Amino acid sequence: MEFALPLAGPLSRLMAMLTDLLVIMAIKQVIGIVKDVFVAVNPDSSQALEILLYFAVSILYAILCELLLDGQTLGKRIFKLRVVDATGLRLEPSQIIVRNLLRLIDGLPMFYLFGGITCLLNTKMQRLGDIAANTVVVRVPEIAHPDLDKILGSKYNSLLEHRHLCARLRQRVTPEVAAIALEALTRRDRLEARARLTVFAGLSAHFRELVEFPPAATESLGDEQYVRNVVEILYRAA
Amino acid sequence: MLIDLPRFVNAERPHWQALEDLLKRFENDPDLRLPVDEAQRFHYLYQRTGAALSRISTFASEPELKRYLEWLVSRAYSVIHGKADRRRFHPWRWFTVTLPTTFRRRFHAFQMSVALTLLGCLFGVIALAIDPEAKSALMPFAHLAGRPSERVAQENANKGKNLDGHKTSFSAHLMTHNTQVAILTMGLGISYGIGTIIMLFYNGVILGAVAFDYVMDGQTVFLLGWLLPHGVIEIPAILLGGQAGFLIAHALIGWGDRRISRAQRLRAAAPDIVTIIGGAAVFLVWAGIIEAFFSQYHEPVLPYGVKIAFGCAELAGLIFFLWKGGTAPEPRG
């Protein structure tokens, strides 16, 4: 059995990281307030406590979150990302600690430059910490069902009469192309007229190439309607 | 393969949901042990979901569904094929048994750390001997800039009062700063060890230059009294950081261990890396306390002999701990 997980993109990771940064800053703010309360009692100890807690929060926040939330920090949870072992095995605590300790190197020389560049150059989108710990950050998928009635309308689908060709089409169209076709229909109103013609002409030509339906079933169909009919075959008429 | 997708999804969804619920239980409690019947059910759900994934994989219309099933199957796979002997973390056992045994098992990496630091020391000594003007470049720290004898006179006059009211925060500062240095030394192992080599060598250069400067100025006793109490713990802790860094580098390069993939090597090395850097952090907490509350007192407040003896006792304790810790005592008779 083969399975693949969708890697998290650099933008979503950046957003999750900024969210975590905000959380850390908020915690540090609270530490600062607590320190201000105790500074009158013992300035030296309260200063020491502040230094230690700042450091502990900076280092331990991500480690504890990922340990307790199974590979997620609060930012990752919001943006539906998760740290997993790169080979599909169970994520070990030591991997979580190593990847987070290496943030110190990823952050060099400033603004996560090393980590960011490594992430962009790496085929698995790994920053240095991920490489050292053999982890990747993936997107957590959810089942999403598009509103097909709204997208496809209720026109007669002449292609459906040829059930064996429909079955062949379902076998030959890749999930990625099917998703592109559905996306094109969903966004058709946002496309400029010329761009819309180009997109549907391309998709239609691709589908026509994959399976040849009898001319009687296709001759009156424009490119967009052809794509609409194909999407209906793929998504609804199984 | 032709399937009636909506009916198939409706029929299978309860099983996927059941698998997801079980996976959530594992995620919430990593030490979860299922009873046999539940474990069998878990395995059945995993296989069933895997079969559903195989069927859906040839189907163009549901990329999201395929991703969802891949996600479920991968999570179940990681639970089934993960380590079975995950135990609760026991700090005392970790410190007294795991740390010293790991240290000894990975001793070659520590030897490399020591060798590079000594090489740096030698370079620092030679560089300062050849060119005393290079002192500011070799030791870019304000408190080391002047003549050692002047500093010693000043420290003796202060009687340890210059840190009054700041000792605790100074100690905290030392702990966090030195721990960061140790983590940096470890983390630079990701540069195939080059960064770790540079860090250790540079630390050695500073150490060698400072020692040479004080010895040549006739302040050897002060130097030993000042450095030994915290240095005998702090310096080995940084060397442990280097040891952890070389473990990363070794796993990346794979010398003598190329039968397994780089990913497997890194995964296998991670527990040892964490143990060693964790040990370094513990040592640095101790060194921070000693440096702030003990090392800063000099004669006449604290005789140098006491400080040196204390440092030697610590070093002996550290060596004994790392060499003998975690070994079961010999059975009597």
Side-chain angles (χ1 to χ4, degrees), chain A residues 1-6 44 47-48 51-52 55 59 70 82 84-85 87-95 97-98 101-102 104-105 108 128 131-132 134 138 140-143 145 167 170-171 173-175 178-179 234-235 238, chain B residues 1-5 13 27 30 50 53 58-61 63-65 67-68 70-71 73-74 77-78 81-83 86 165-169 172 175-176 179-180 183-184 186-188 190 262-263 266-267 270-271 273-274 277:
Chain A
M1 183 197 316
E2 280 187 15
F3 55 80
L5 294 173
D44 188 25
Q47 176 79 33
I51 293 170
L52 291 175
F55 182 70
I59 297 276
D70 197 47
R82 193 185 288 268
V84 296
D85 179 82
T87 43
L89 295 172
R90 194 171 187 176
L91 191 62
E92 292 295 323
S94 54
Q95 290 176 285
I97 296 170
V98 168
L101 288 182
L102 261 83
L104 207 65
I105 311 296
L108 293 175
L128 293 169
I131 294 171
N134 190 38
V138 296
V140 181
E142 285 177 313
I143 299 184
H145 294 291
R170 279 197 291 273
Q171 282 181 322
V173 178
T174 63
L234 297 176
Y235 280 85
Chain B
M1 186 189 299
L2 291 179
I3 50 175
D4 183 340
L5 192 65
R13 197 189 291 269
E27 286 161 11
L53 174 62
T58 55
F59 217 82
S61 64
E64 291 295 322
L65 180 61
R67 264 186 226 130
Y68 169 72
E70 282 182 322
W71 176 243
V73 169
S74 71
Y77 174 88
S78 74
H81 297 278
K83 260 190 189 174
R86 274 179 92 159
H166 298 97
K167 283 197 186 72
T168 317
S169 49
M175 286 174 201
T176 54
T179 305
Q180 273 181 324
I183 294 172
L184 192 68
M186 174 209 75
L188 285 170
I190 196 70
R262 193 180 79 169
L266 285 164
R267 188 180 157 90
I273 293 165
V274 170
I277 199 67

Side-chain angles (χ1 to χ4, degrees), chain A residues 15 32 66 85 90-91 105 107 124 162 191 211-212 234 237:
Chain A
M15 295 304 287
E66 289 178 7
D85 179 82
R90 194 171 187 176
L91 191 62
I105 311 296
K124 291 182 188 167
H162 307 277
L191 297 173
V211 176
E212 199 177 330
L234 297 176

Side-chain angles (χ1 to χ4, degrees), chain A:
Chain A
M1 183 197 316
E2 280 187 15
F3 55 80
L5 294 173
L7 291 170
L11 194 65
S12 56
R13 287 183 73 171
L14 181 69
M15 295 304 287
M17 197 185 78
L18 290 176
T19 309
D20 289 328
L21 202 63
L22 283 177
V23 176
I24 290 172
M25 281 166 64
I27 297 171
K28 285 184 174 177
Q29 203 69 29
V30 174
I31 293 169
I33 293 167
V34 174
K35 179 236 170 184
D36 289 343
V37 172
F38 286 102
V39 80
V41 183
N42 190 330
D44 188 25
S45 297
S46 56
Q47 176 79 33
L49 197 67
E50 187 186 30
I51 293 170
L52 291 175
L53 288 177
Y54 267 29
F55 182 70
V57 168
S58 308
I59 297 276
L60 296 179
Y61 164 78
I63 293 176
L64 287 179
C65 279
E66 289 178 7
L67 281 173
L68 297 174
L69 303 175
D70 197 47
Q72 287 185 308
T73 58
L74 295 177
K76 287 193 182 78
R77 184 158 275 207
I78 289 169
F79 287 92
K80 302 198 185 318
L81 310 178
R82 193 185 288 268
V83 181
V84 296
D85 179 82
T87 43
L89 295 172
R90 194 171 187 176
L91 191 62
E92 292 295 323
S94 54
Q95 290 176 285
I96 291 174
I97 296 170
V98 168
R99 79 181 293 279
N100 282 299
L101 288 182
L102 261 83
R103 280 182 193 280
L104 207 65
I105 311 296
D106 279 306
L108 293 175
M110 61 180 79
F111 306 126
Y112 261 80
L113 206 64
F114 277 5
I117 291 171
T118 313
C119 187
L120 290 173
L121 295 177
N122 190 286
T123 49
K124 291 182 188 167
M125 297 272 187
Q126 290 171 299
R127 60 175 176 81
L128 293 169
D130 286 319
I131 294 171
N134 190 38
T135 53
V136 286
V137 181
V138 296
R139 278 188 287 123
V140 181
E142 285 177 313
I143 299 184
H145 294 291
D147 186 354
L148 292 177
D149 291 333
K150 207 170 166 185
I151 298 166
L152 299 177
S154 55
K155 278 191 178 171
Y156 171 69
N157 188 344
S158 56
L159 304 184
L160 280 173
E161 286 182 6
H162 307 277
R163 297 185 71 83
H164 66 292
L165 294 177
C166 291
R168 195 175 299 162
L169 188 69
R170 279 197 291 273
Q171 282 181 322
R172 290 185 180 175
V173 178
T174 63
E176 289 74 21
V177 173
I180 290 169
L182 181 64
E183 197 71 17
L185 289 172
T186 313
R187 296 188 189 186
R188 70 167 307 278
D189 293 334
R190 279 184 272 167
L191 297 173
E192 284 180 13
R194 184 174 293 203
R196 189 169 28 187
L197 287 173
T198 312
V199 167
F200 286 113
L203 284 167
S204 166
H206 176 71
F207 292 136
R208 284 175 206 265
E209 210 170 277
L210 288 178
V211 176
E212 199 177 330
F213 283 86
T218 58
E219 60 191 7
S220 61
L221 295 177
D223 286 331
E224 185 174 341
Q225 190 54 44
Y226 192 91
V227 172
R228 207 174 285 276
N229 288 359
V230 169
V231 167
E232 185 174 9
I233 291 166
L234 297 176
Y235 280 85
R236 197 159 62 180

